Amino acid sequence: MNRNLISATLLAFIFSLTALFSGATNLVWLCPSDPTNTDRPGAADYMQLFTPANDSLWVNARIRVNVFKLYPGFINRSSDDTLQKIFNYLKSKNIALAVEWPALSVLNGKGGGLEGFLDNGPTVTDATFRRIKNLGGTVAYVTMDEPLYFGHYYTGDHQVNASIVDLANNVALNLQKIISIFPNVVIGDVEPVDILPKDTLNSKMQQWLTAYQNSMHRPIAFLHVDFQWSDQWREDVVTISNLLALNNSIDLGVIFNSALSVGTSREWIENAEGNIQRFKFLGVNISHPVFQNWNSLPALNLPESQTSSYISLVNYYFSEASVQPPLTPFRRLYNPIFNRHVYSSNSAEITTFRSQGWKDEGSVGWIYPTALGTTNLVPLYRLYSPSQNDYFYTTNVQESSAADLNGGYNSPLIACYVYASTGKGTPLYRAYNKQIGHFYTSNLNEYNGLPETWKEGISCYLP
């Protein structure tokens, strides 16, 4: 057989395996935080992503990325040389260029200074996208910056509260300018779905999709949802997924990031990893995994081998760990007869305890049910003393063995997986007294309210 044919066949086989693993419709987006943003500057090594000498620092993540998105502020603040470097690099790697754009123009004198709006919309849009074209860039995708939320729902300074039809007609003024420069551009939207009112989410979103199609004479190509990762997102993403499937199968994307704005880079990544796990556990299919950030953390984009780097999150999404059971509440139950507490994440066990008269006092935090949840996890052992009717938890193997051999506790079982190292996650404090047995809490005020002689310090750290 011809050697070139063998190579081509092998390459096709590799690509077919990749599609099988990641989902054939996946379009992976990357949009790191903007380092030129004065309010929340992103990682200083941003431009290192576009340096061929650094290709090896993100070789695995880079071959997965299909689309790289730029913020408008970064474009406006960057020199021609900087933008040309980015455009040339992306073309050399066959990565499509996307721009997130404030598609709304000031409407009836309202919206000036508000995110998603431009004071001189069509003029600014025309100038910006012509500049990109003149510098050798080809904009393949444009994402509107939350026009439905900021134009219709938002209340506060500069609020507009326009009708959905007026919003659709308004965005067309800017978008038609972009289409005249880049006729093949694909236009979608991003919206903060889980902060929109739940009772009208389906109907208002449908109105927006219809009004946009009527105004632009084409449907919205995709919708990226920006979650706050509150409790509401699970139900909302199912609603949106079903709605988009009824609208010519508009592609659904999810922005995977962290709910944390402070802390360490690794804590930010771990929180984002947990969000990925929780989403995958829900079982909703998406076409666009979007890795987008607008915070100062993580402090580094590269290298991908460092688990606190932003690019490592792309690889995590495609790892086996990302499909392991997600973070689970660690619940505290109280028995008023014995004046004792027990802690569990096992729903069947919790039901049994409740049936035996234990009162559910809620969650003390989150835990991982398996060691594959993320890196640096350790077992939290649980031991039980029949004579004291006491449940004892520790990550210390020696302490666990001593309690088993000499303290009258039975053999340890692994209750869950947590962090043991200082400074990671939420502290779980431990106290002990013969009258109450072992007591654990993540509430510092509750811990401080205990007598000093009871306090034993931090037992572990919850993710």
Side-chain angles (χ1 to χ4, degrees), residues 136-380:
T138 301
V139 178
Y141 299 91
V142 165
T143 305
M144 294 181 284
D145 185 5
E146 304 183 346
L148 179 62
Y149 172 69
F150 283 110
H152 182 73
Y153 285 104
Y154 173 79
T155 57
D157 293 343
H158 313 293
Q159 68 185 48
V160 177
N161 305 131
S163 72
I164 291 177
V165 171
D166 284 346
L167 289 180
N169 292 332
N170 186 283
V171 299
L173 300 174
N174 286 310
L175 299 180
Q176 293 296 352
K177 288 289 186 181
I178 299 173
I179 292 172
S180 70
I181 301 168
F182 297 105
N184 297 320
V185 68
V186 177
I187 300 174
D189 187 17
V190 58
E191 297 291 346
V193 169
D194 61 342
I195 64 172
L196 302 183
K198 183 182 295 290
D199 57 339
T200 61
L201 175 60
N202 193 75
S203 61
K204 288 292 182 77
M205 188 61 71
Q206 181 61 68
Q207 291 177 40
W208 167 238
L209 298 176
T210 301
Y212 178 93
Q213 181 162 353
N214 291 339
S215 179
M216 292 292 295
H217 307 293
R218 62 167 75 178
I220 286 177
F222 57 86
L223 176 67
H224 292 172
V225 292
D226 171 18
F227 288 135
Q228 309 298 307
W229 300 109
S230 59
D231 292 337
Q232 186 171 323
W233 71 266
R234 292 173 175 84
E235 183 177 341
D236 289 347
V237 74
V238 173
T239 298
I240 292 298
S241 177
N242 292 336
L243 178 64
L244 297 186
L246 296 175
N247 283 267
N248 300 315
S249 297
I250 295 172
D251 286 337
L252 173 61
V254 172
I255 297 176
F256 292 107
N257 54 16
S258 174
L260 301 178
S261 58
V262 295
T264 67
S265 294
R266 182 56 198 158
E267 286 169 345
W268 192 99
I269 290 291
E270 285 168 347
N271 187 272
E273 290 173 348
N275 291 334
I276 290 173
Q277 284 181 296
R278 284 190 284 275
F279 183 86
K280 287 193 173 184
F281 197 70
L282 191 64
V284 174
N285 292 322
I286 60 172
S287 300
H288 299 181
V290 183
F291 302 95
Q292 180 173 351
N293 187 23
W294 44 85
N295 292 298
S296 294
L297 293 176
L300 291 173
N301 286 307
L302 300 171
E304 65 183 1
S305 59
Q306 186 169 317
T307 57
S308 60
S309 75
Y310 183 59
I311 298 301
S312 71
L313 192 62
V314 177
N315 293 332
Y316 178 84
Y317 180 87
F318 293 95
S319 71
E320 292 183 4
S322 71
V323 293
Q324 297 304 315
L327 285 165
T328 303
F330 198 39
R331 305 194 74 81
R332 186 173 83 188
L333 297 99
Y334 174 66
N335 189 313
I337 297 177
F338 301 110
N339 192 29
R340 292 292 188 269
H341 290 85
V342 66
Y343 305 77
S344 179
S345 62
N346 186 303
S347 58
E349 183 179 58
I350 291 170
T351 299
T352 299
F353 276 119
R354 286 172 176 166
S355 68
Q356 296 172 351
W358 293 74
K359 308 299 181 183
D360 192 337
E361 295 187 335
S363 172
V364 297
W366 297 85
I367 54 84
Y368 280 107
T370 77
L372 294 175
T374 185
T375 56
N376 302 318
L377 293 174
V378 296
L380 180 64

